[in-house]
Amino acid sequence: MTDRLALLLPEEARARRDELIALCAQAFAGAPWHEPPRGALRTVDRLLDSAARRPDFHAAAALGPDGELLGLAAGWTDTVLSGDAPAFELAELVVAPAHQGRGLGRALHDALLVAAGAGPALLMTLDVPELTDRYARWGWTVVGRSRPAREERDYVVMRRG
C-alpha cells in the first residue's frame, strides 16, 4: 500500500498546500469527476480555510517512501449535511491516480473515522455507482439526494453510524 499513514495537524496540511492542489488536480481530472484544474484549487482552498478555523478538523495523509503525499482524507464536525444534530462530515477523500486500487482510500477513510471518534458520520458525493457502491461496501447508507446550487450533477448524502 504505502509506507505510512499519518494524521496531519491543520498547519501541516496548510504547509502541503501545493502538494494538495497537485493531488486533487490529478485525482479529480478523471472519471467520475472530470474537474478542471481550477476545481482542485477551489477544493484545497476550501479545505484549508476550514482547517484554519475549525478546532475539530481531522486529516489523515498517506505518505510515500520520500514523504510525498499519495492521498488525503479530511473532515470536521458540522450540521451542514445533517441539518440539525452535529455529525462528523467526511469532506474529502482523494488518492493519486497512480496509487488507486490498492486499498489506500479505505485505509485513509478508516484512519480518519478513528481520529474523528465515535458517533455518526456523513458525506456528500456524486450520485454514481462507482462512488456510492464503494461507500456502501464501507458501511455507508444513502439518506438523501440533492443537486447543490450551481451544480449540473446529482449528489447523495450518505450516513455511517
Side-chain angles (χ1 to χ4, degrees):
M1 184 189 321
T2 184
D3 275 8
R4 68 186 175 106
L5 292 178
L7 296 179
L8 292 184
L9 296 172
E11 54 271 13
E12 293 170 314
R14 284 192 300 273
R16 290 183 174 264
R17 181 179 183 272
D18 291 343
E19 284 182 276
L20 282 168
I21 292 168
L23 173 67
C24 289
Q26 290 173 33
F28 296 147
W33 297 102
H34 303 291
E35 291 284 337
R38 71 181 178 279
L41 181 61
R42 279 194 312 269
T43 295
V44 171
D45 283 346
R46 179 184 56 83
L47 180 67
L48 296 182
D49 286 347
S50 295
R53 60 185 167 80
R54 292 182 181 272
D56 57 349
F57 173 83
H58 295 282
L63 304 172
D66 297 321
E68 70 275 19
L69 188 63
L70 306 178
L72 181 89
W76 47 83
T77 301
D78 209 332
T79 59
V80 172
L81 296 179
S82 68
D84 54 10
F88 183 76
E89 294 183 8
L90 192 160
E92 294 298 332
L93 176 58
V94 58
V95 175
H99 299 278
Q100 292 176 1
R102 302 182 326 177
L104 191 53
R106 177 65 190 259
L108 286 165
H109 165 273
D110 292 351
L112 180 66
L113 292 180
V114 166
L122 296 165
L123 65 81
M124 182 184 284
T125 192
L126 279 177
D127 189 4
V128 296
E130 176 181 345
L131 298 172
T132 57
D133 291 352
R134 178 179 306 132
Y135 284 117
R137 287 192 309 273
W138 295 353
W140 295 81
T141 304
V142 173
V143 294
R145 290 186 158 72
S146 71
R147 180 170 291 186
R150 296 178 295 196
E151 286 289 336
E152 297 177 4
R153 301 178 284 184
D154 293 327
Y155 284 73
V156 294
V157 174
M158 300 184 81
R159 180 183 173 97
R160 187 169 196 252

